[in-house]
């Protein structure tokens, strides 16, 4: 319980500061891919930050193509250094972000390669 509370406090602080200061990017290493739209970023500020990708959705792990979406994302970013741009927070108070690796928008790449669909209502 205490770990969850600490994580929520860190996320709230990062996102609040980011939006208030006009800074919404974090740099770090993509430590783990949970599924096709959820990653863990290790940063100097918040040792680990779990977040979903903005504006897209992939099949769940137990649905057809769920494993493929996770595998594609893993191959592209897991263990690599990159940037996330926080664009919102979700109902669980997690930051929702666009992932950038090697100057490529990974959210967009998932869609372009057929691993994800777009949530049009959230596009900015």
């Amino acid at each position: 319980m205490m770990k969850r509370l600490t994580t929520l406090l860190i996320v709230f602080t990062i996102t609040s500061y980011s939006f208030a200061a006009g800074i919404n990017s974090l740099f770090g290493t993509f430590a783990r891919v949970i599924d096709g739209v959820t990653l863990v970023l290790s940063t100097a500020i918040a040792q680990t930050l779990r977040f979903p990708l903005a504006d897209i959705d992939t099949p769940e792990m137990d649905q057809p193509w769920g494993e493929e979406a996770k595998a594609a994302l893993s191959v592209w970013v897991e263990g690599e250094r990159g940037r996330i741009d926080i664009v919102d927070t979700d109902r669980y108070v997690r930051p929702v972000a666009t992932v950038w690796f090697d100057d490529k928008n990974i959210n967009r790449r998932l869609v372009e390669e057929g691993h994800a669909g777009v949530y049009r209502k959230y596009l900015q």
Side-chain angles (χ1 to χ4, degrees), residues 15-69:
T15 54
S16 295
Y17 174 77
S18 296
F19 292 126
I23 301 167
N24 62 352
S25 295
L26 291 174
F27 295 87
T29 301
F30 299 106
R32 184 168 168 226
V33 174
I34 307 297
D35 58 28
V37 291
T38 310
L39 296 103
V40 175
L41 182 75
S42 293
T43 70
I45 299 169
Q47 296 203 322
T48 58
L49 179 64
R50 183 177 173 150
F51 66 94
L53 299 178
D55 305 325
I56 65 170
D57 194 24
T58 61
E60 299 299 323
M61 294 300 293
D62 61 349
Q63 295 177 327
W65 309 111
E67 289 283 341
E68 288 80 359

Side-chain angles (χ1 to χ4, degrees), residues 29-33 35-37 39 53 56 58 68-83 99-116:
T29 301
F30 299 106
R32 184 168 168 226
V33 174
D35 58 28
V37 291
L39 296 103
L53 299 178
I56 65 170
T58 61
E68 288 80 359
K70 177 183 177 182
L73 188 56
S74 295
V75 166
W76 299 335
V77 301
E78 197 167 61
E80 301 289 344
R81 290 194 49 76
R83 179 184 98 222
V99 168
W100 295 89
F101 170 71
D102 211 15
D103 291 327
K104 291 181 179 69
N105 180 324
I106 298 301
N107 302 42
R108 180 175 288 158
R109 184 173 179 188
L110 281 164
V111 173
E112 288 172 347
E113 296 201 12
H115 298 292

